[in-house]
Amino acid sequence: MVKIGIMGLTGCSGCQCEILNCEDAIYKLLGRVEFSYFPLAQDNNSFEEFDVLFVEGSVTTDLDEEKVKKGREISKILVAVGSCACYGGVQSQRNDEVSLEEMIKGVYGTTELPVKISKPRAVSEVVKVDYELPGCPLDKRQFVYAVAFLLNGVKPFFPKIPVCHECKLSETECLTLKGIPCQGPISFSGCGAPCTSQGVGCQGCRGDCDFPNYNEMVSILERNGLKREDAFKFIKVFRGKQAQDRISKLFRGDLDEKGA
């Protein structure tokens, strides 16, 4: 029996809820796998050895770090699920702008806390990650596909093409051409483009596609009414260190002018 664990770190647990929404698929899996650790869904849990461990949330406390390091030690395969685990998520969007002390004081009003807190980090910044399933929340179909791939000894593979590709397939009108801020041109598809189909610009929660053109993306956002500084913040919302490193490298001059 294949042992699967589903562990949550700092986050909203939305990705774990999305996994629970895979009801039919989970019922079919029960004959082949054992969910030996899934505290959000069951009372009896064993944190021992796993064939596959799925990890949701960012590494933000000393307890998070301890748990994910232990999880890595006892797992054959570790999969990061959701934007927080893959990139640091929304809570890491200002890691490059303010100090940890400023963050803690801004939220709690004091730096005296019962747990040790660090700036939110992606799981891959702490331990080796074998595969990533990004999204806020993750796409439950990709979770099912990934489990099916792994059970059959196949490496999960999802092409990192832009969200624009999915808009074209679904004949969704291009929001960028309508002047609506949208990160589709630089964002990893696979979600089915639910936001753009409802008239909301892609927020980039699945991170970068292959070969993202940040220079052109920022230019487009500026033409659509955003100030350059606001374009940077818009791109950084979900992508954490991934976007912060690219923006710092490509737009160092702009950041220096603003003292960032």
Side-chain angles (χ1 to χ4, degrees), residues 45-104:
N45 295 286
S46 172
F47 198 73
E48 296 180 354
E49 294 185 351
F50 302 110
D51 292 293
V52 186
L53 177 63
F54 293 91
V55 181
E56 179 209 53
S58 63
V59 183
T60 305
T61 67
D62 53 351
L63 180 59
D64 287 339
E65 186 165 340
E66 181 183 329
K67 285 171 63 178
V68 78
K69 285 181 175 176
K70 178 65 176 176
R72 177 68 271 185
E73 288 176 7
I74 59 177
S75 304
K76 295 177 183 173
I77 297 172
L78 188 146
V79 184
V81 296
S83 299
C84 298
C86 294
Y87 310 124
V90 172
Q91 56 267 42
S92 69
Q93 65 181 290
R94 298 195 67 195
N95 275 4
D96 61 337
E97 298 178 30
V98 297
S99 68
L100 177 62
E101 184 179 31
E102 289 175 297
M103 288 183 182
I104 296 174

Side-chain angles (χ1 to χ4, degrees), residues 135-206:
C136 186
L138 89 163
D139 185 89
K140 63 181 181 182
R141 295 165 301 179
Q142 288 201 339
F143 172 76
V144 173
Y145 295 152
V147 172
F149 283 143
L150 292 171
L151 289 179
N152 287 286
V154 178
K155 179 181 177 180
F157 174 70
F158 303 103
K160 286 192 168 185
I161 54 179
V163 170
C164 298
H165 179 75
E166 292 188 319
C167 284
K168 288 184 180 297
L169 289 177
S170 61
E171 298 184 350
T172 298
E173 189 174 3
C174 179
L175 299 183
T176 293
L177 294 178
K178 295 175 71 175
I180 297 173
C182 178
Q183 298 182 43
I186 62 169
S187 298
F188 178 11
S189 64
C191 55
C195 298
T196 52
S197 68
Q198 297 300 311
V200 177
C202 172
Q203 305 294 299
C205 72
R206 290 175 54 79

